[in-house]
Amino acid sequence: MTSVILQTAARGLQPLLLLFSLFLLFRGHHEPGGGFSGGLVAGSAVTLHAIAFGAKAARRALPVEPRTLVGAGLVLALGTAVAPLLAGLPLLTGAWTTLAGIELGTPLLFDAGVYVVVLGASLTVVLTFMEE
Amino acid sequence: MLSILLVGFVIASIAPLIVRALPRSSPWLLAAYPAFACAWLARQSGHVLSGIPLEETYRWAPQLGVAIALRLDGLSLLFALLIAIVGVAVYLHTGAYLAGDSGRPRFFAFLVAFTAAMFGVVLADDLLALYVAWELTSVTSYFLIGFRHNEEQARASALQALLVTSAGGLALLAGFVLLGRAGNASTISALSRDAVLASATLPAIVALVLTGAFTKSAQFPFHFWLPAAMAAPAPVSAYLHAATMVKAGVYLAARLTPVLGEAPGWTEVMTGVGPVTMLVGAVGALCQTHVKRLLAWSTIGALGMLVFLVGLGTPASIRAALAFLVAHSLYKGALFLVAGTVDHETGVSDVRQMRGLLRAMPLTSIALLLSALAMASLPPFEAFLAKELLYEAARDAGVMALAVAVATSAFFVAIAASAGVRPLFGTPPKAHEGPVGLWVGPLALGGLGLAAGVALGPLSALLSSAAGAVEPGGGGLHLAFWHGWTLPLLLSAATLAAGGVLFLVRGAFLEAAAKLSPAARFGPARAWSAGWTALRRLSVLQTRLLQSGYLRIYLLIVVTAAFAAIGGSLVGSLPEPGDAFAMFRAAATGAGWPEIVLMALLTAGTLGAIRFKSRLAAITSMGVVGYGVALLFVFFGAPDLAMTQFIIETLTVVLFVIAFYHLPRYATVSSRRARARDLALSIAAGTVMATLVIAAVHERSSPGIASYFLEQSLPAAHGRNVVNVILVDFRAADTLGEITVLAIAALGVYSLLQLRPARERADA
């Protein structure tokens, strides 16, 4: 069912939602947010697109398959967890550095991995359901 | 020592490549592995035979006390030498026997892996390492027996062997765990004998360990898998089911005799089961016509003899057991290989039809003759010495034992004559000697049986050391052929005579066997397969009950089980009714208007979800409940949770709408009774959950770790949002698990929906 109102709204909301999801990811460490909420908001952005324009259009709009996202996210998270082992440190040791006054660390990478997995998983489920 | 095992496994994994690349020379190359092992063992023998065992320990998990401990003493040396020597013969034979068979690369891989695993069994000192190697031999044996997997018989026999030996293996594991705890050690050499003999679990240990040993060594009533395993190619039968794997049970019993030998039941059971197995095997063998089955049944008899002798536990019997073990491995291995050769060259496997081998295949015939004479225990073969020792040991055990020993030996003589001597004469078939690989192995093994009888010095030293490892008085063996006109000598003569008689009347045995075969349906094999059929029926039944395919049944079972368990433990720990009331009162105070309105909203949403007639309205009501819970999180100061909950609820509503869009208007699916049941269950589950939460909040038994996280969040983890810091830093390992589960769930949804056959989806 095509609803012009929904499509117009979707076109406006999607970029906002995607930006917001990234915003949530990066602010997670000091303010409410984090990988889980970020990934879910990004997922709802694509879901909105799918509801407004159809599942096929949503798949076309995605650069990668959702399942690839799931795998990539797991690899990222696992890599961040295992990398300290190569340096002789225990599993999941965090490494922090300061860049231009902002503190960056490996937990952010881990959170990004979580973000990608949540995005991929929610999209896999939603798009598979919609194509059923 | 560890390198022998590891190298073996590495070679096993690349063996297919070697065999494919060099079809002609690969068996000789691969035979280098057991040959090198043999050479290494020979080099260590000076050291070991003078009484100093070789020990290696590799720490695996020191905190748990798990280590790979390997030990080479006289007993291990004896077995390892047998494994290596017979291995060389078998590898060479396999190369020729299976030449041209496309499965040969795969076969060699399993064969080498089996060799390495078998070395592991005899070299392991650590109990668990021994168990792992034990099971590895069962697994590789499965693949080797089932080599001709296109044949139903091969598959069935392989599975039967695997199940019987693995069931025994499970018992063995339990026995080892108990033994380790009772003896305060994880290695056999460190077990404290007094502690074990005084422990309360001793009967269980003895029963479990003996079960493991008996299943592996084909003792009555677990013997039925061995004849069936003759579906394997001849080299497998020679290696696994004559020379090495089936002896593993005997090895284990010998290895544990210093610790368990005095345990009540150990000697009684073994000296009971052994003779029974001896007779079953011996008589059963003479009733067979297929040469491999005949040899298999006689192996059962020989194993019974070994178990009996090890069970007796006297120095004399241990010496006899080891001497006989050497003899048997050599001659039985050679016999099986020759049987394979004859089958390969002439196509004949019925002993009644095998004739004229001496003229057709002279080298193989010599091997056959050597092994047959060894089986008949004639001097100057080492087997003769073994039989003399056997009779001496049996004499000390009583007249019955001696009678059984003599009878079994007589049967062996008859079998040797019928399978090993008779086929040599007569009209030769149109066949000729096979390639080198087929005769060099059996010839070497047969010759070794003779040479061992001649080179008494080294043999005595080896057997003494091995026996000394089992029974301290067992060392100091001095073998000699002539001890004077002793009873054993007279009995040997009598055995030969009796054997000759049995050989002449073997036809009567075959007739009797034919008449009695219907009765064999009630044997142990039948009981075993009946047991498995019953188990399968039970699993089908319980699967039908529990996994009916109806989601509501699954929910019912999960909710009932979970909340029954939680509720049960709550009831046990709840305080007095007065305190409980105070607890509930305390939980209810502090609720302001926002909370009460929210509760009303949640209740309305729940009722709406149940009562609305339109699907969309029901789903929306459920969404209201979800959003209400998110609002609760906001009230209690958990913004991350609230955000996540809001979005999850939205997605869930979307999914429900998509899922239910195509379904027709509501129809009542459950009966009144079912709905009443579901209502009662839901109320009970909700009550239990609420009580659990209130009790947990009330009960603050341990100081919260929240204070630690709150303090450390900024300094240690550079973050002010404690929730997120816990998720990605303090407890990141849990998060890793969670996203893995999420990934699996998503993939599960995908596979369930996308991978249905296209036809089904087109109809849907």
Side-chain angles (χ1 to χ4, degrees):
Chain A
M1 30 129 205
T2 49
S3 154
V4 179
I5 303 177
L6 187 60
Q7 286 182 347
T8 321
R11 268 200 213 100
L13 282 173
Q14 270 153 226
L16 282 178
L17 280 171
L18 286 171
L19 277 175
F20 186 60
S21 75
L22 286 173
F23 170 69
L24 278 176
L25 170 65
F26 283 116
R27 93 201 281 255
H29 224 55
H30 294 296
E31 311 288 335
F36 283 100
S37 350
L40 282 172
V41 171
S44 28
V46 183
T47 310
L48 184 59
H49 190 94
I51 296 177
F53 297 100
K56 270 214 190 62
R59 276 211 194 267
R60 266 202 306 262
L62 284 174
V64 290
E65 275 243 13
R67 281 172 295 145
T68 318
L69 285 174
V70 168
L74 278 178
V75 166
L76 186 57
L78 204 60
T80 326
V82 166
L85 281 180
L86 302 171
L89 295 165
L91 200 69
L92 284 167
T93 310
W96 288 89
T97 172
T98 318
L99 202 64
I102 307 176
E103 273 187 312
L104 296 173
T106 48
L108 179 60
L109 281 177
F110 188 81
D111 220 2
V114 171
Y115 174 96
V116 174
V117 171
V118 170
L119 173 62
S122 55
L123 285 184
T124 311
V125 173
V126 168
L127 290 177
T128 312
F129 258 76
M130 290 189 78
E131 283 163 357
E132 218 353 67
Chain B
M1 275 189 278
L2 188 63
S3 38
I4 296 185
L5 303 177
L6 291 177
V7 163
F9 286 118
V10 166
I11 295 180
S13 51
I14 59 174
L17 299 168
I18 301 178
V19 175
R20 277 202 200 100
L22 307 160
R24 297 282 291 278
S25 45
S26 49
W28 300 84
L29 282 173
L30 288 173
Y33 167 57
F36 269 129
C38 185
W40 182 87
L41 287 165
R43 235 181 49 162
Q44 304 301 322
S45 62
H47 193 47
V48 170
L49 290 179
S50 60
I52 312 166
L54 194 65
E55 288 174 343
E56 281 176 25
T57 310
Y58 300 92
R59 304 208 159 280
W60 182 272
Q63 312 92 319
L64 298 173
V66 177
I68 303 178
L70 303 171
R71 191 162 187 271
L72 182 68
D73 64 2
L75 185 63
S76 309
L77 182 66
L78 182 68
F79 272 88
L81 277 174
L82 277 175
I83 298 170
I85 295 172
V86 179
V88 174
V90 167
Y91 283 31
L92 295 177
H93 190 270
T94 306
Y97 187 76
L98 290 179
D101 192 317
S102 61
R104 199 169 67 139
R106 176 171 46 101
F107 187 88
F108 265 109
F110 289 125
L111 196 61
V112 178
F114 170 78
T115 314
M118 201 61 222
F119 276 131
V121 171
V122 303
L123 289 177
D125 193 26
D126 185 76
L127 285 168
L128 287 178
L130 206 163
Y131 170 73
V132 169
W134 184 278
E135 289 294 85
L136 267 175
T137 60
S138 291
V139 169
T140 46
S141 156
Y142 172 71
F143 286 112
L144 287 169
I145 298 176
F147 173 67
R148 300 208 173 92
H149 52 82
N150 299 316
E151 292 169 23
E152 160 94 56
Q153 180 60 27
R155 292 198 305 269
S157 315
L159 189 61
Q160 187 186 56
L162 181 68
L163 289 175
V164 176
T165 50
S166 297
L170 269 178
L172 191 64
L173 179 63
F176 275 172
V177 169
L178 289 176
L179 183 61
R181 283 164 122 238
N184 293 322
S186 55
T187 57
I188 299 178
S189 52
L191 284 173
S192 154
R193 179 163 156 264
D194 302 316
V196 170
L197 290 177
S199 89
T201 52
L202 188 61
I205 296 176
V206 169
L208 291 168
V209 168
L210 285 182
T211 308
F214 287 172
T215 49
K216 194 69 139 199
S217 289
Q219 299 297 300
F220 185 86
F222 303 115
H223 61 284
F224 51 89
W225 66 266
L226 193 53
M230 294 301 117
V236 172
S237 305
Y239 203 21
L240 272 72
H241 306 132
T244 52
M245 189 178 90
V246 292
K247 303 273 174 38
V250 177
Y251 167 79
L252 184 69
R255 185 47 92 204
L256 290 178
T257 301
V259 177
L260 291 175
E262 309 279 319
W266 177 268
T267 310
E268 288 82 351
V269 171
M270 286 179 87
T271 52
V273 169
V276 172
T277 312
M278 279 161 80
L279 289 174
V280 165
V283 175
L286 209 53
C287 301
Q288 301 291 326
T289 54
H290 189 278
V291 61
K292 280 179 67 180
R293 289 200 155 234
L294 189 145
L295 293 173
W297 280 98
S298 67
T299 306
I300 295 177
L303 290 170
M305 208 178 274
L306 288 169
V307 164
F308 165 67
L309 286 170
V310 173
L312 270 183
T314 63
S317 68
I318 299 292
R319 282 185 236 141
L322 293 171
F324 181 63
L325 193 132
V326 170
H328 180 262
S329 298
L330 292 175
Y331 76 64
K332 203 45 86 57
L335 281 171
F336 267 111
L337 290 180
V338 167
T341 307
V342 171
D343 188 27
H344 190 256
E345 295 297 321
T346 64
V348 175
S349 54
D350 187 328
V351 280
R352 295 171 296 187
Q353 293 167 4
M354 282 188 206
R355 290 290 177 265
L357 294 177
L358 192 56
R359 271 208 273 169
M361 305 156 59
L363 292 165
T364 310
S365 308
I366 297 177
L368 181 60
L369 186 63
L370 287 173
S371 4
L373 292 179
M375 186 168 179
S377 312
L378 290 172
F381 288 89
E382 193 252 340
F384 173 76
L385 295 167
K387 196 168 64 168
E388 297 276 293
L389 289 170
L390 163 70
Y391 286 159
E392 259 182 54
R395 175 185 62 190
D396 299 330
V399 182
M400 273 301 293
L402 196 55
V404 172
V406 174
T408 313
S409 304
F411 272 93
F412 281 178
V413 172
I415 295 162
S418 123
V421 180
R422 188 76 188 79
L424 294 173
F425 308 105
T427 38
K430 282 193 176 44
H432 55 88
E433 196 65 71
V436 179
L438 282 184
W439 51 259
V440 72
L443 200 54
L445 291 180
L448 210 57
L450 179 59
V454 172
L456 289 179
L459 184 66
S460 301
L462 185 57
L463 289 176
S464 301
S465 174
V470 177
E471 172 67 40
L477 173 63
H478 293 293
L479 293 172
F481 275 102
W482 183 256
H483 290 277
W485 291 103
T486 54
L487 181 63
L489 193 61
L490 293 169
L491 286 174
S492 299
T495 311
L496 268 178
V501 170
L502 281 171
F503 170 69
L504 293 172
V505 303
R506 68 191 186 282
F509 274 93
L510 290 172
E511 279 171 29
K515 282 205 202 91
L516 286 173
S517 58
R521 289 200 299 129
F522 296 102
R526 184 64 191 290
W528 180 262
S529 52
W532 278 105
T533 314
L535 190 65
R536 265 199 294 269
R537 284 221 193 96
L538 179 66
S539 45
V540 166
L541 179 69
Q542 68 98 32
T543 307
R544 204 175 291 147
L545 272 179
L546 294 177
Q547 305 274 349
S548 53
Y550 290 115
L551 194 57
R552 59 181 180 275
I553 305 284
Y554 294 162
L555 271 178
L556 199 66
I557 295 175
V558 169
V559 168
T560 315
F563 286 101
I566 298 176
S569 51
L570 267 183
V571 165
S573 65
L574 270 186
E576 298 294 310
D579 293 335
F581 188 62
M583 190 172 75
F584 280 103
R585 260 256 303 263
T589 51
W593 275 109
E595 281 89 3
I596 295 179
V597 170
L598 192 54
M599 294 313 302
L601 198 63
L602 285 175
T603 318
T606 317
L607 286 172
I610 303 173
R611 301 296 305 175
F612 279 136
K613 288 277 184 274
S614 148
R615 265 205 184 89
L616 205 53
I619 295 171
T620 319
S621 300
M622 265 181 31
V624 166
V625 174
Y627 278 15
V629 172
L631 262 182
L632 257 179
F633 289 145
V634 173
F635 284 171
F636 282 94
D640 306 71
L641 275 171
M643 266 197 290
T644 313
Q645 176 69 9
F646 271 119
I647 309 171
I648 290 275
E649 197 53 45
T650 315
L651 281 177
T652 310
V653 168
V654 166
L655 285 176
F656 265 111
V657 168
I658 301 170
F660 288 164
Y661 185 66
H662 298 287
L663 292 175
R665 263 192 87 80
Y666 266 146
T668 309
V669 187
S670 327
S671 63
R672 283 213 117 143
R673 235 181 33 148
R675 277 187 291 163
R677 171 198 72 196
D678 295 339
L679 181 66
L681 194 58
S682 327
I683 293 178
T687 316
V688 168
M689 200 60 194
T691 317
L692 177 67
V693 172
I694 295 175
V697 168
H698 186 77
E699 192 66 45
R700 294 285 166 126
S701 49
S702 52
I705 47 176
S707 51
Y708 169 81
F709 285 139
L710 284 168
E711 281 165 37
Q712 289 295 322
S713 169
L714 191 51
H718 307 260
R720 280 195 293 273
N721 181 2
V722 185
V723 174
N724 188 271
V725 166
I726 293 176
L727 275 178
V728 300
D729 206 329
F730 287 125
R731 306 288 272 215
D734 298 340
T735 312
L736 200 52
E738 282 157 26
I739 55 176
T740 313
V741 170
L742 194 58
I744 295 175
L747 292 175
V749 169
Y750 177 82
S751 357
L752 280 176
L753 289 180
Q754 286 286 8
L755 299 179
R756 289 190 302 170
R759 201 168 10 103
E760 243 186 71
R761 276 191 280 151
D763 294 342

